[in-house]
Short mmCIF file of all heavy atoms in Angstrom, two decimals:
data_model
loop_
_atom_site.label_atom_id
_atom_site.label_comp_id
_atom_site.label_asym_id
_atom_site.label_seq_id
_atom_site.Cartn_x
_atom_site.Cartn_y
_atom_site.Cartn_z
N MET A 8 3.89 -17.78 -3.96
CA MET A 8 4.40 -16.43 -3.92
C MET A 8 5.84 -16.39 -4.35
O MET A 8 6.60 -17.30 -4.04
CB MET A 8 4.27 -15.86 -2.50
CG MET A 8 3.13 -14.94 -2.28
SD MET A 8 3.16 -14.09 -0.72
CE MET A 8 3.36 -15.33 0.46
N SER A 9 6.24 -15.31 -4.96
CA SER A 9 7.61 -15.16 -5.44
C SER A 9 8.49 -14.55 -4.32
O SER A 9 8.00 -14.08 -3.31
CB SER A 9 7.67 -14.26 -6.67
OG SER A 9 7.37 -12.93 -6.28
N GLU A 10 9.79 -14.58 -4.54
CA GLU A 10 10.74 -13.96 -3.62
C GLU A 10 10.45 -12.45 -3.50
O GLU A 10 10.54 -11.89 -2.43
CB GLU A 10 12.19 -14.17 -4.13
CG GLU A 10 12.99 -15.07 -3.30
CD GLU A 10 14.40 -15.17 -3.82
OE1 GLU A 10 15.16 -14.20 -3.64
OE2 GLU A 10 14.72 -16.23 -4.38
N LEU A 11 10.12 -11.83 -4.63
CA LEU A 11 9.81 -10.39 -4.63
C LEU A 11 8.58 -10.12 -3.76
O LEU A 11 8.55 -9.19 -2.98
CB LEU A 11 9.58 -9.87 -6.05
CG LEU A 11 9.21 -8.40 -6.18
CD1 LEU A 11 10.33 -7.51 -5.63
CD2 LEU A 11 8.96 -8.05 -7.64
N ASP A 12 7.54 -10.93 -3.92
CA ASP A 12 6.36 -10.78 -3.12
C ASP A 12 6.72 -10.92 -1.61
O ASP A 12 6.26 -10.11 -0.79
CB ASP A 12 5.29 -11.85 -3.45
CG ASP A 12 4.51 -11.47 -4.70
OD1 ASP A 12 4.13 -10.30 -4.86
OD2 ASP A 12 4.23 -12.41 -5.47
N ASP A 13 7.51 -11.90 -1.27
CA ASP A 13 7.89 -12.11 0.11
C ASP A 13 8.63 -10.89 0.66
O ASP A 13 8.36 -10.43 1.78
CB ASP A 13 8.77 -13.33 0.27
CG ASP A 13 8.00 -14.64 0.20
OD1 ASP A 13 6.79 -14.62 0.49
OD2 ASP A 13 8.63 -15.65 -0.13
N ARG A 14 9.58 -10.35 -0.12
CA ARG A 14 10.35 -9.19 0.31
C ARG A 14 9.44 -7.97 0.49
O ARG A 14 9.53 -7.27 1.51
CB ARG A 14 11.45 -8.88 -0.70
CG ARG A 14 12.37 -7.76 -0.23
CD ARG A 14 13.52 -7.56 -1.22
NE ARG A 14 13.08 -7.12 -2.52
CZ ARG A 14 12.71 -5.86 -2.82
NH1 ARG A 14 12.72 -4.93 -1.89
NH2 ARG A 14 12.34 -5.56 -4.03
N LEU A 15 8.56 -7.73 -0.50
CA LEU A 15 7.70 -6.58 -0.39
C LEU A 15 6.68 -6.69 0.73
O LEU A 15 6.42 -5.72 1.43
CB LEU A 15 6.95 -6.37 -1.75
CG LEU A 15 7.82 -5.98 -2.91
CD1 LEU A 15 7.00 -5.95 -4.19
CD2 LEU A 15 8.47 -4.61 -2.67
N LEU A 16 6.13 -7.89 0.94
CA LEU A 16 5.22 -8.06 2.07
C LEU A 16 5.92 -7.87 3.39
O LEU A 16 5.32 -7.34 4.32
CB LEU A 16 4.58 -9.49 1.99
CG LEU A 16 3.57 -9.66 0.88
CD1 LEU A 16 3.12 -11.13 0.82
CD2 LEU A 16 2.36 -8.75 1.07
N GLY A 17 7.18 -8.26 3.46
CA GLY A 17 7.94 -8.02 4.69
C GLY A 17 8.09 -6.54 4.98
O GLY A 17 7.97 -6.11 6.14
N LEU A 18 8.27 -5.74 3.94
CA LEU A 18 8.34 -4.31 4.14
C LEU A 18 6.99 -3.73 4.51
O LEU A 18 6.91 -2.86 5.41
CB LEU A 18 8.83 -3.62 2.82
CG LEU A 18 10.25 -3.90 2.42
CD1 LEU A 18 10.52 -3.32 1.02
CD2 LEU A 18 11.23 -3.27 3.40
N ILE A 19 5.95 -4.21 3.90
CA ILE A 19 4.61 -3.69 4.12
C ILE A 19 4.13 -4.01 5.55
O ILE A 19 3.62 -3.16 6.25
CB ILE A 19 3.59 -4.27 3.12
CG1 ILE A 19 3.94 -3.79 1.71
CG2 ILE A 19 2.17 -3.91 3.50
CD1 ILE A 19 3.24 -4.59 0.61
N ASP A 20 4.32 -5.25 5.96
CA ASP A 20 3.77 -5.70 7.21
C ASP A 20 4.58 -5.34 8.44
O ASP A 20 4.12 -5.55 9.56
CB ASP A 20 3.58 -7.24 7.15
CG ASP A 20 2.49 -7.62 6.19
OD1 ASP A 20 1.62 -6.79 5.92
OD2 ASP A 20 2.50 -8.78 5.73
N THR A 21 5.77 -4.74 8.26
CA THR A 21 6.58 -4.35 9.39
C THR A 21 6.60 -2.83 9.60
O THR A 21 7.41 -2.32 10.33
CB THR A 21 8.01 -4.85 9.26
OG1 THR A 21 8.59 -4.36 8.07
CG2 THR A 21 8.08 -6.38 9.28
N VAL A 22 5.69 -2.14 8.98
CA VAL A 22 5.61 -0.68 9.11
C VAL A 22 5.22 -0.32 10.52
O VAL A 22 4.27 -0.87 11.07
CB VAL A 22 4.59 -0.08 8.09
CG1 VAL A 22 4.42 1.39 8.34
CG2 VAL A 22 5.03 -0.37 6.69
N VAL A 23 5.95 0.58 11.10
CA VAL A 23 5.70 1.04 12.48
C VAL A 23 4.59 2.07 12.43
O VAL A 23 4.44 2.81 11.48
CB VAL A 23 7.00 1.63 13.10
CG1 VAL A 23 6.73 2.14 14.48
CG2 VAL A 23 8.12 0.61 13.07
N ASP A 24 3.77 2.11 13.49
CA ASP A 24 2.73 3.10 13.58
C ASP A 24 3.28 4.51 13.36
O ASP A 24 4.38 4.80 13.84
CB ASP A 24 2.03 3.05 14.95
CG ASP A 24 1.16 1.83 15.09
OD1 ASP A 24 0.87 1.16 14.06
OD2 ASP A 24 0.81 1.53 16.25
N VAL A 25 2.52 5.32 12.69
CA VAL A 25 2.98 6.68 12.36
C VAL A 25 3.04 7.56 13.57
O VAL A 25 2.15 7.55 14.42
CB VAL A 25 2.01 7.30 11.32
CG1 VAL A 25 2.39 8.75 11.00
CG2 VAL A 25 1.94 6.48 10.05
N ASP A 26 4.13 8.28 13.71
CA ASP A 26 4.30 9.25 14.77
C ASP A 26 3.32 10.39 14.48
O ASP A 26 3.33 11.00 13.41
CB ASP A 26 5.73 9.76 14.77
CG ASP A 26 6.01 10.77 15.87
OD1 ASP A 26 5.05 11.27 16.49
OD2 ASP A 26 7.22 11.07 16.09
N GLU A 27 2.44 10.71 15.45
CA GLU A 27 1.39 11.69 15.24
C GLU A 27 1.95 13.11 14.94
O GLU A 27 1.26 13.91 14.33
CB GLU A 27 0.47 11.75 16.43
CG GLU A 27 -0.42 10.51 16.55
CD GLU A 27 -1.40 10.58 17.71
OE1 GLU A 27 -1.62 11.73 18.20
OE2 GLU A 27 -1.89 9.57 18.12
N GLN A 28 3.16 13.38 15.34
CA GLN A 28 3.69 14.72 15.09
C GLN A 28 4.30 14.88 13.73
O GLN A 28 4.64 15.98 13.34
CB GLN A 28 4.73 15.05 16.17
CG GLN A 28 4.11 15.15 17.56
CD GLN A 28 5.10 15.60 18.61
OE1 GLN A 28 6.23 15.94 18.30
NE2 GLN A 28 4.71 15.57 19.85
N ARG A 29 4.43 13.83 12.99
CA ARG A 29 4.96 13.90 11.62
C ARG A 29 3.86 14.26 10.63
O ARG A 29 2.70 13.97 10.87
CB ARG A 29 5.58 12.59 11.21
CG ARG A 29 6.79 12.21 12.04
CD ARG A 29 7.37 10.95 11.52
NE ARG A 29 8.42 10.50 12.41
CZ ARG A 29 9.19 9.45 12.17
NH1 ARG A 29 8.97 8.74 11.10
NH2 ARG A 29 10.13 9.12 13.01
N LEU A 30 4.28 14.85 9.57
CA LEU A 30 3.34 15.14 8.49
C LEU A 30 2.99 13.88 7.77
O LEU A 30 3.77 12.94 7.71
CB LEU A 30 3.94 16.15 7.54
CG LEU A 30 4.23 17.54 8.06
CD1 LEU A 30 4.94 18.37 7.00
CD2 LEU A 30 2.94 18.23 8.47
N PRO A 31 1.79 13.78 7.18
CA PRO A 31 1.45 12.58 6.41
C PRO A 31 2.36 12.39 5.25
O PRO A 31 2.83 13.34 4.63
CB PRO A 31 0.01 12.83 5.97
CG PRO A 31 -0.29 14.24 6.23
CD PRO A 31 0.76 14.79 7.15
N LEU A 32 2.63 11.12 4.94
CA LEU A 32 3.51 10.81 3.81
C LEU A 32 2.84 11.11 2.50
O LEU A 32 3.50 11.63 1.56
CB LEU A 32 3.83 9.30 3.88
CG LEU A 32 4.73 8.74 2.78
CD1 LEU A 32 6.10 9.43 2.80
CD2 LEU A 32 4.90 7.25 2.96
N LEU A 33 1.52 10.91 2.40
CA LEU A 33 0.79 11.17 1.16
C LEU A 33 -0.47 11.99 1.44
O LEU A 33 -1.01 11.93 2.54
CB LEU A 33 0.28 9.85 0.55
CG LEU A 33 1.30 8.82 0.12
CD1 LEU A 33 0.59 7.52 -0.24
CD2 LEU A 33 2.07 9.33 -1.07
N THR A 34 -0.86 12.78 0.47
CA THR A 34 -2.15 13.42 0.57
C THR A 34 -3.21 12.38 0.27
O THR A 34 -2.95 11.31 -0.26
CB THR A 34 -2.28 14.59 -0.44
OG1 THR A 34 -2.31 14.06 -1.74
CG2 THR A 34 -1.19 15.63 -0.27
N LEU A 35 -4.47 12.74 0.56
CA LEU A 35 -5.56 11.80 0.28
C LEU A 35 -5.67 11.48 -1.20
O LEU A 35 -5.84 10.32 -1.60
CB LEU A 35 -6.88 12.39 0.77
CG LEU A 35 -8.09 11.55 0.75
CD1 LEU A 35 -7.88 10.22 1.47
CD2 LEU A 35 -9.28 12.27 1.35
N ARG A 36 -5.47 12.51 -2.04
CA ARG A 36 -5.54 12.29 -3.48
C ARG A 36 -4.39 11.36 -3.95
O ARG A 36 -4.58 10.51 -4.80
CB ARG A 36 -5.49 13.61 -4.23
CG ARG A 36 -6.75 14.47 -4.01
CD ARG A 36 -6.64 15.76 -4.67
NE ARG A 36 -6.78 15.58 -6.10
CZ ARG A 36 -6.68 16.52 -6.99
NH1 ARG A 36 -6.39 17.76 -6.62
NH2 ARG A 36 -6.83 16.27 -8.26
N GLU A 37 -3.19 11.58 -3.40
CA GLU A 37 -2.05 10.73 -3.79
C GLU A 37 -2.28 9.30 -3.35
O GLU A 37 -1.96 8.35 -4.06
CB GLU A 37 -0.76 11.27 -3.14
CG GLU A 37 -0.28 12.56 -3.76
CD GLU A 37 0.84 13.19 -2.96
OE1 GLU A 37 0.85 13.08 -1.70
OE2 GLU A 37 1.68 13.84 -3.56
N ALA A 38 -2.86 9.14 -2.15
CA ALA A 38 -3.12 7.77 -1.66
C ALA A 38 -4.14 7.07 -2.52
O ALA A 38 -3.98 5.88 -2.85
CB ALA A 38 -3.62 7.81 -0.20
N ARG A 39 -5.17 7.76 -2.96
CA ARG A 39 -6.15 7.13 -3.85
C ARG A 39 -5.54 6.76 -5.18
O ARG A 39 -5.86 5.71 -5.74
CB ARG A 39 -7.35 8.07 -4.01
CG ARG A 39 -8.24 8.10 -2.79
CD ARG A 39 -9.53 8.88 -3.04
NE ARG A 39 -10.41 8.72 -1.89
CZ ARG A 39 -10.98 9.73 -1.25
NH1 ARG A 39 -10.78 10.98 -1.61
NH2 ARG A 39 -11.75 9.51 -0.21
N ALA A 40 -4.69 7.63 -5.69
CA ALA A 40 -3.99 7.35 -6.96
C ALA A 40 -3.09 6.13 -6.77
O ALA A 40 -3.01 5.27 -7.67
CB ALA A 40 -3.21 8.56 -7.42
N ALA A 41 -2.37 6.06 -5.65
CA ALA A 41 -1.50 4.93 -5.40
C ALA A 41 -2.29 3.62 -5.36
O ALA A 41 -1.85 2.61 -5.90
CB ALA A 41 -0.75 5.16 -4.09
N VAL A 42 -3.47 3.65 -4.74
CA VAL A 42 -4.31 2.45 -4.67
C VAL A 42 -4.71 2.02 -6.10
O VAL A 42 -4.63 0.83 -6.43
CB VAL A 42 -5.55 2.68 -3.78
CG1 VAL A 42 -6.58 1.55 -3.94
CG2 VAL A 42 -5.16 2.82 -2.32
N GLU A 43 -5.10 2.98 -6.90
CA GLU A 43 -5.50 2.61 -8.28
C GLU A 43 -4.32 2.01 -9.05
O GLU A 43 -4.50 1.04 -9.78
CB GLU A 43 -6.05 3.85 -8.98
CG GLU A 43 -7.43 4.23 -8.53
CD GLU A 43 -8.06 5.31 -9.41
OE1 GLU A 43 -7.98 5.19 -10.64
OE2 GLU A 43 -8.61 6.24 -8.84
N LEU A 44 -3.14 2.60 -8.91
CA LEU A 44 -1.97 2.08 -9.60
C LEU A 44 -1.62 0.69 -9.09
O LEU A 44 -1.27 -0.22 -9.89
CB LEU A 44 -0.78 3.02 -9.46
CG LEU A 44 -0.92 4.34 -10.23
CD1 LEU A 44 0.19 5.30 -9.79
CD2 LEU A 44 -0.86 4.08 -11.70
N LEU A 45 -1.71 0.48 -7.80
CA LEU A 45 -1.42 -0.85 -7.24
C LEU A 45 -2.43 -1.87 -7.74
O LEU A 45 -2.10 -3.01 -8.00
CB LEU A 45 -1.42 -0.77 -5.71
CG LEU A 45 -0.19 -0.10 -5.10
CD1 LEU A 45 -0.46 0.26 -3.64
CD2 LEU A 45 1.04 -0.97 -5.26
N GLN A 46 -3.69 -1.46 -7.84
CA GLN A 46 -4.71 -2.38 -8.35
C GLN A 46 -4.44 -2.77 -9.80
O GLN A 46 -4.65 -3.92 -10.18
CB GLN A 46 -6.10 -1.75 -8.20
CG GLN A 46 -6.55 -1.71 -6.75
CD GLN A 46 -7.82 -0.86 -6.54
OE1 GLN A 46 -8.15 0.01 -7.37
NE2 GLN A 46 -8.51 -1.11 -5.47
N LEU A 47 -3.94 -1.86 -10.59
CA LEU A 47 -3.55 -2.15 -11.97
C LEU A 47 -2.43 -3.19 -11.99
O LEU A 47 -2.45 -4.14 -12.74
CB LEU A 47 -3.14 -0.90 -12.73
CG LEU A 47 -4.22 0.04 -13.19
CD1 LEU A 47 -3.63 1.31 -13.75
CD2 LEU A 47 -5.10 -0.63 -14.22
N LEU A 48 -1.44 -2.97 -11.15
CA LEU A 48 -0.30 -3.91 -11.04
C LEU A 48 -0.75 -5.25 -10.56
O LEU A 48 -0.38 -6.31 -11.06
CB LEU A 48 0.75 -3.34 -10.13
CG LEU A 48 1.97 -4.22 -9.84
CD1 LEU A 48 2.73 -4.54 -11.14
CD2 LEU A 48 2.90 -3.55 -8.88
N ALA A 49 -1.67 -5.25 -9.58
CA ALA A 49 -2.18 -6.47 -8.98
C ALA A 49 -3.04 -7.29 -9.96
O ALA A 49 -3.14 -8.50 -9.83
CB ALA A 49 -3.01 -6.16 -7.73
N ALA A 50 -3.63 -6.64 -10.96
CA ALA A 50 -4.45 -7.32 -11.92
C ALA A 50 -3.66 -8.26 -12.82
O ALA A 50 -4.22 -9.18 -13.40
CB ALA A 50 -5.25 -6.32 -12.77
N GLY A 51 -2.38 -8.01 -12.92
CA GLY A 51 -1.53 -8.85 -13.77
C GLY A 51 -1.05 -10.07 -13.00
O GLY A 51 -1.42 -10.29 -11.84
N SER A 52 -0.20 -10.83 -13.64
CA SER A 52 0.30 -12.05 -12.99
C SER A 52 1.82 -11.97 -12.87
O SER A 52 2.49 -12.96 -12.63
CB SER A 52 -0.08 -13.30 -13.78
OG SER A 52 0.40 -13.20 -15.10
N SER A 53 2.36 -10.76 -13.02
CA SER A 53 3.83 -10.59 -12.93
C SER A 53 4.28 -10.63 -11.47
O SER A 53 3.48 -10.62 -10.55
CB SER A 53 4.25 -9.27 -13.57
OG SER A 53 3.65 -8.20 -12.88
N GLU A 54 5.59 -10.70 -11.31
CA GLU A 54 6.17 -10.66 -9.96
C GLU A 54 5.72 -9.41 -9.24
O GLU A 54 5.70 -8.34 -9.83
CB GLU A 54 7.68 -10.69 -10.03
CG GLU A 54 8.28 -12.08 -10.10
CD GLU A 54 9.72 -12.05 -9.75
OE1 GLU A 54 10.06 -12.11 -8.55
OE2 GLU A 54 10.52 -11.99 -10.70
N GLY A 55 5.35 -9.54 -8.00
CA GLY A 55 4.92 -8.37 -7.24
C GLY A 55 3.42 -8.16 -7.24
O GLY A 55 2.92 -7.34 -6.47
N ALA A 56 2.72 -8.90 -8.06
CA ALA A 56 1.26 -8.74 -8.15
C ALA A 56 0.57 -9.05 -6.85
O ALA A 56 -0.34 -8.34 -6.42
CB ALA A 56 0.67 -9.56 -9.28
N PHE A 57 0.99 -10.09 -6.18
CA PHE A 57 0.38 -10.49 -4.89
C PHE A 57 0.62 -9.39 -3.85
O PHE A 57 -0.29 -8.98 -3.16
CB PHE A 57 0.95 -11.82 -4.45
CG PHE A 57 0.33 -12.31 -3.15
CD1 PHE A 57 -0.84 -13.07 -3.20
CD2 PHE A 57 0.90 -12.04 -1.93
CE1 PHE A 57 -1.45 -13.52 -2.02
CE2 PHE A 57 0.33 -12.46 -0.77
CZ PHE A 57 -0.85 -13.22 -0.80
N ALA A 58 1.86 -8.92 -3.78
CA ALA A 58 2.17 -7.86 -2.79
C ALA A 58 1.46 -6.57 -3.13
O ALA A 58 0.99 -5.86 -2.22
CB ALA A 58 3.70 -7.62 -2.77
N ALA A 59 1.27 -6.27 -4.41
CA ALA A 59 0.57 -5.07 -4.80
C ALA A 59 -0.90 -5.16 -4.39
O ALA A 59 -1.47 -4.19 -3.88
CB ALA A 59 0.65 -4.87 -6.33
N ARG A 60 -1.48 -6.34 -4.53
CA ARG A 60 -2.88 -6.56 -4.13
C ARG A 60 -3.03 -6.39 -2.61
O ARG A 60 -3.95 -5.76 -2.10
CB ARG A 60 -3.30 -7.96 -4.57
CG ARG A 60 -4.76 -8.23 -4.53
CD ARG A 60 -5.17 -9.54 -5.27
NE ARG A 60 -4.15 -10.57 -5.40
CZ ARG A 60 -3.43 -10.82 -6.52
NH1 ARG A 60 -3.57 -10.08 -7.58
NH2 ARG A 60 -2.52 -11.79 -6.54
N HIS A 61 -2.04 -6.93 -1.87
CA HIS A 61 -2.06 -6.84 -0.43
C HIS A 61 -1.97 -5.36 0.03
O HIS A 61 -2.71 -4.90 0.89
CB HIS A 61 -0.92 -7.66 0.12
CG HIS A 61 -0.81 -7.74 1.62
ND1 HIS A 61 -1.68 -8.47 2.37
CD2 HIS A 61 0.04 -7.13 2.45
CE1 HIS A 61 -1.36 -8.35 3.62
NE2 HIS A 61 -0.31 -7.52 3.72
N LEU A 62 -1.00 -4.64 -0.54
CA LEU A 62 -0.79 -3.24 -0.16
C LEU A 62 -1.98 -2.37 -0.59
O LEU A 62 -2.41 -1.49 0.17
CB LEU A 62 0.51 -2.70 -0.77
CG LEU A 62 0.88 -1.26 -0.47
CD1 LEU A 62 0.91 -1.01 1.05
CD2 LEU A 62 2.21 -0.89 -1.09
N ALA A 63 -2.54 -2.61 -1.75
CA ALA A 63 -3.72 -1.85 -2.21
C ALA A 63 -4.86 -2.05 -1.23
O ALA A 63 -5.55 -1.09 -0.87
CB ALA A 63 -4.14 -2.30 -3.60
N GLY A 64 -5.03 -3.27 -0.76
CA GLY A 64 -6.08 -3.55 0.25
C GLY A 64 -5.86 -2.82 1.53
O GLY A 64 -6.76 -2.24 2.12
N ASN A 65 -4.60 -2.85 2.01
CA ASN A 65 -4.25 -2.15 3.24
C ASN A 65 -4.55 -0.65 3.13
O ASN A 65 -5.14 -0.08 4.04
CB ASN A 65 -2.77 -2.35 3.59
CG ASN A 65 -2.45 -3.72 4.16
OD1 ASN A 65 -3.35 -4.51 4.36
ND2 ASN A 65 -1.20 -3.96 4.39
N LEU A 66 -4.10 -0.06 2.05
CA LEU A 66 -4.32 1.38 1.87
C LEU A 66 -5.82 1.72 1.72
O LEU A 66 -6.29 2.69 2.29
CB LEU A 66 -3.54 1.90 0.66
CG LEU A 66 -2.02 1.90 0.80
CD1 LEU A 66 -1.40 2.30 -0.54
CD2 LEU A 66 -1.57 2.84 1.87
N ALA A 67 -6.50 0.92 0.90
CA ALA A 67 -7.92 1.19 0.68
C ALA A 67 -8.74 1.14 1.94
O ALA A 67 -9.64 1.97 2.13
CB ALA A 67 -8.46 0.21 -0.37
N ARG A 68 -8.42 0.23 2.84
CA ARG A 68 -9.13 0.14 4.12
C ARG A 68 -8.93 1.36 4.97
O ARG A 68 -9.77 1.70 5.81
CB ARG A 68 -8.70 -1.12 4.89
CG ARG A 68 -9.36 -2.40 4.38
CD ARG A 68 -9.10 -3.55 5.32
NE ARG A 68 -7.71 -3.90 5.43
CZ ARG A 68 -7.03 -4.63 4.56
NH1 ARG A 68 -7.62 -5.10 3.48
NH2 ARG A 68 -5.77 -4.90 4.74
N ARG A 69 -7.79 2.02 4.85
CA ARG A 69 -7.49 3.20 5.69
C ARG A 69 -8.04 4.51 5.08
O ARG A 69 -8.11 5.51 5.80
CB ARG A 69 -6.01 3.32 5.83
CG ARG A 69 -5.42 2.18 6.63
CD ARG A 69 -3.95 2.30 6.74
NE ARG A 69 -3.40 1.10 7.40
CZ ARG A 69 -2.12 0.81 7.41
NH1 ARG A 69 -1.24 1.58 6.80
NH2 ARG A 69 -1.70 -0.27 8.01
N LEU A 70 -8.41 4.49 3.83
CA LEU A 70 -8.94 5.70 3.22
C LEU A 70 -10.38 5.94 3.65
O LEU A 70 -11.15 5.01 3.82
CB LEU A 70 -8.89 5.59 1.67
CG LEU A 70 -7.54 5.62 1.04
CD1 LEU A 70 -7.63 5.30 -0.47
CD2 LEU A 70 -6.84 6.94 1.24
N PRO A 71 -10.75 7.21 3.82
CA PRO A 71 -12.15 7.50 4.14
C PRO A 71 -13.06 7.12 2.98
O PRO A 71 -12.64 7.16 1.82
CB PRO A 71 -12.16 9.04 4.39
CG PRO A 71 -10.90 9.54 3.83
CD PRO A 71 -9.94 8.39 3.70
N ALA A 72 -14.28 6.73 3.34
CA ALA A 72 -15.25 6.38 2.30
C ALA A 72 -15.58 7.63 1.48
O ALA A 72 -15.61 8.74 2.00
CB ALA A 72 -16.53 5.82 2.93
N ASP A 73 -15.78 7.43 0.21
CA ASP A 73 -16.18 8.55 -0.67
C ASP A 73 -17.56 9.00 -0.27
O ASP A 73 -18.46 8.19 -0.04
CB ASP A 73 -16.19 8.14 -2.14
CG ASP A 73 -14.76 7.93 -2.67
OD1 ASP A 73 -13.82 8.51 -2.10
OD2 ASP A 73 -14.58 7.15 -3.61
N GLY A 74 -17.73 10.31 -0.18
CA GLY A 74 -19.03 10.85 0.26
C GLY A 74 -19.78 11.39 -0.82
O GLY A 74 -20.50 11.59 -1.52
#
C-alpha cells in the first residue's frame, strides 16, 4: 500500500457515527454515483486505488439493495 492509501484509509476508518439529527451528507443517488466513480478509480493501479476500493465497498454495503 502507498502512503496515500494509508492516509486515505485513516480518514475512512476513523469516521465517527453520524449524529441522527444532522441531514445526510449525500442523497441516495449521489452515494450510488460516488460508489461507481470509486470503483472506476479502484480498477486502476494508480495511487489511491486500494483506498478507493475499500471506500467503495464500505459505501456499497450501506446502500439499500436495488428493488
